[in-house]
Amino acid sequence: MSITHENNLPANFHDLVRARCSVRSYKRDAPVPDDVLKRILDAGRLAPSGKNLQPWTFIVASSPEMQEKIYPCYSRDWIQGAPHLLIVKGTRSGAWHRAKDGYSSLETDLAIAMDHMILAAAAEGVGSCWIAAFDRDLLYQALDLTENEEIFAFTPLGYATDDYQPVPKTRKTLEEITVFL
Ligand SMILES: Cc1cc2nc3c(=O)[nH]c(=O)nc-3n(C[C@H](O)[C@H](O)[C@H](O)COP(=O)(O)O)c2cc1C
């Protein structure tokens, strides 16, 4: 991992994608400052979407009351260390549908927005971890969602504890996953 910026932040895009990692240990008492949070959310706002319909809402759950409702949806205790939970919610009827076969871009749109925000967080030195292994029914109850709404992922946001050791990146090689034709 190459971090060359004077503040220990990734200096360019390639450093950023190498530096980003799933953080599963957070400083509970170190909330992300509002201006940093806004820049992260703005990266999601600027994400591309099918027909530019932007079928999303970004929910930032920072209050202990709201977080207490969400915790039962995801069984890992470490999640409770994060000062914020960022949930990307979509509206089925608000997404682009391909006329010929009805394909909906909703999941793609929401994934791109989430990825923009996760990378923006990494650029700010803020940790995140894509969470999809949640109990969908419990999350729907907690957030009072309708059947027109969908959540594919949420992420904690916060600063990693000083002793946090990222899991080393294990990836297939480019040769394994690339075909040049
Ligand atoms: C679609 C998706 C779902 C994931 N769900 C979870 C999850 O529920 N819990 C978790 O701890 N990590 C989850 N992850 C994180 C992956 O385990 C992690 O990205 C992967 O192991 C690579 O590690 P890295 O993010 O540190 O590079 C998920 C990642 C993706 C893309």
Side-chain angles (χ1 to χ4, degrees):
M1 184 170 78
S2 158
I3 295 181
T4 50
H5 192 277
E6 58 188 13
N7 299 322
N8 260 357
L9 295 175
N12 60 46
F13 182 76
H14 299 287
D15 288 346
L16 174 65
V17 292
R18 283 180 177 77
R20 186 222 50 84
C21 61
S22 294
V23 173
R24 297 184 180 89
S25 177
Y26 291 89
K27 295 178 183 170
R28 175 80 195 171
D29 298 327
V32 178
D34 282 350
D35 58 329
V36 177
L37 209 46
K38 269 198 187 144
R39 285 197 293 272
I40 294 169
L41 294 166
D42 212 41
R45 184 181 72 84
L46 292 169
S49 60
K51 211 180 173 187
N52 197 22
L53 290 178
Q54 306 158 61
W56 47 55
T57 304
F58 308 145
I59 301 169
V60 184
S62 308
S63 73
E65 297 75 29
M66 196 63 231
Q67 292 180 347
E68 284 295 332
K69 283 189 180 182
I70 295 170
Y71 292 153
C73 311
Y74 186 67
S75 56
R76 306 299 169 134
D77 286 346
W78 61 261
I79 199 87
Q80 303 189 18
H84 315 279
L85 299 173
L86 168 62
I87 301 148
V88 175
K89 182 182 81 168
T91 309
R92 289 183 178 287
S93 58
W96 174 65
H97 288 78
R98 192 162 53 204
K100 190 163 181 194
D101 58 8
Y103 157 81
S104 165
S105 66
L106 185 64
E107 188 166 357
T108 307
D109 294 339
L110 301 192
I112 295 171
M114 179 63 104
D115 202 46
H116 270 49
M117 291 191 278
I118 278 179
L119 287 173
E124 301 275 358
V126 173
S128 66
C129 182
W130 196 294
I131 302 292
F134 53 79
D135 184 310
R136 186 174 179 275
D137 292 340
L138 290 180
L139 191 61
Y140 272 57
Q141 281 170 32
L143 295 171
D144 212 9
L145 299 190
T146 67
E147 275 310 308
N148 189 37
E149 295 172 306
E150 190 65 77
I151 291 169
F152 298 106
F154 68 87
T155 179
L157 286 179
Y159 297 97
T161 52
D162 296 333
D163 60 352
Y164 184 63
Q165 296 290 333
V167 179
K169 286 223 182 304
T170 52
R171 296 292 194 268
K172 296 177 185 175
T173 63
L174 263 187
E175 288 71 25
E176 286 176 280
I177 60 168
T178 312
V179 181
F180 293 98
L181 299 175

